[in-house]
Amino acid sequence: MTDRLGQKQIAAMLVLMVIAREMSNPELDEMVGFTLDGKERRQLNDLDLVSSDRSKVLRGRPFVHELTEYGWAWCEEELSTEGVPSPRTSLGSALYVLLGGLGRHLRRERLRLADLFMPEVQLTAEEIETRIRIAYRKLSQAPRDWVGLVDLRPMLGEASTVDVDEVLKELSRSGQVRLVPESNRKALTAAAHAAAVRIGGEDNHLLSIEEP
């Protein structure tokens, strides 16, 4: 499908895929340095890949954009595309190597893009702590059992990774939870490394809670 779209259109589609929610032109401009307007926007609208409307709340009523169901399908197909859109650049080539690897991972794990990219929501520290405790109870076999953060994080829904890390650090400081590194570092997967929370210059992979 890339032969029908320009590079800025492709970039906008991929950004909307990752953010997974409505984005305004000012947000796009701040994040990637361009907006989606004019002929480029209208073509994506006409192809039913992106829905665009004037914001009812933002000053100046800029356009806000969101992927349609066809847009999500386009992105999934793009992850398995062969070749790089013209004009070919070193950065574009590297990006499509990355997208191809992501596509293979999703197909291997039988996942959809919606399983990977979801909008972050603003939760209070108390709400995040409640989610952590509920997830821990589901994963643990007994009080003080050790649970991998790599298993716990996917059960926290749309909570921001940064916010979850802050709550985990505060719970650790207050002694309500214990966080420790995995002793067998060779057993750690890339996902386990990514799920770790760093405290005092050390990555911690395991969580224990003594429930009352």
Side-chain angles (χ1 to χ4, degrees):
M1 290 187 187
T2 55
D3 59 337
R4 293 189 295 168
L5 300 182
Q7 288 205 344
K8 189 163 82 169
Q9 291 172 311
I10 295 171
M13 294 281 293
L14 296 177
V15 170
L16 291 172
M17 172 190 76
V18 173
I19 300 303
R21 59 168 172 79
E22 275 191 347
M23 282 193 77
S24 68
N25 269 337
E27 283 184 285
L28 272 173
D29 190 32
E30 181 178 354
M31 179 174 290
V32 291
F34 64 80
T35 60
L36 188 58
D37 275 315
K39 180 181 178 181
E40 292 163 323
R41 173 189 60 77
R42 290 193 296 271
Q43 184 182 15
L44 292 177
N45 296 158
D46 291 343
L47 291 170
D48 197 20
L49 297 175
V50 172
S51 63
S52 304
D53 202 356
R54 293 284 186 182
S55 173
K56 295 183 174 70
V57 296
L58 295 178
R59 186 175 182 180
R61 300 195 66 204
F63 275 108
V64 292
H65 315 284
E66 188 171 16
L67 288 181
T68 64
E69 289 297 322
Y70 287 115
W72 280 102
W74 181 94
C75 289
E76 288 196 339
E77 185 176 333
E78 195 69 4
L79 265 58
S80 60
T81 191
E82 296 290 336
V84 181
S86 297
R88 192 182 184 94
T89 65
S90 57
L91 183 58
S93 299
L95 171 63
Y96 272 77
V97 170
L98 174 63
L99 291 177
L102 176 59
R104 289 190 295 276
H105 171 75
L106 292 175
R107 291 190 292 274
R108 184 167 57 249
E109 300 297 326
R110 297 183 180 179
L111 297 173
R112 304 295 302 273
L113 282 175
D115 298 317
L116 182 62
F117 298 118
M118 59 183 66
E120 291 184 349
V121 297
Q122 293 298 316
L123 299 172
T124 66
E126 291 76 15
E127 289 171 328
I128 293 175
E129 179 181 343
T130 297
R131 292 191 181 197
I132 290 171
R133 292 184 180 277
I134 291 173
Y136 179 82
R137 285 196 293 270
K138 290 180 179 179
L139 292 169
S140 62
Q141 301 297 315
R144 298 191 297 253
D145 202 8
W146 290 105
V147 166
L149 291 178
V150 66
D151 299 313
L152 183 136
R153 285 191 189 270
M155 301 175 67
L156 303 182
E158 309 85 357
S160 160
T161 299
V162 173
D163 292 342
V164 170
D165 284 359
E166 287 302 314
V167 171
L168 287 172
K169 290 176 183 178
E170 180 57 35
L171 290 172
S172 176
R173 282 192 292 266
S174 64
Q176 298 181 65
V177 307
R178 293 181 63 199
L179 291 161
V180 299
E182 168 61 60
S183 57
N184 183 8
R185 297 301 179 95
K186 293 182 179 179
L188 291 173
T189 63
H193 280 294
V197 58
R198 195 165 185 82
I199 300 176
E202 186 173 46
D203 287 339
N204 296 273
H205 313 91
L206 300 172
L207 167 75
S208 174
I209 303 177
E210 184 171 3
E211 295 285 356

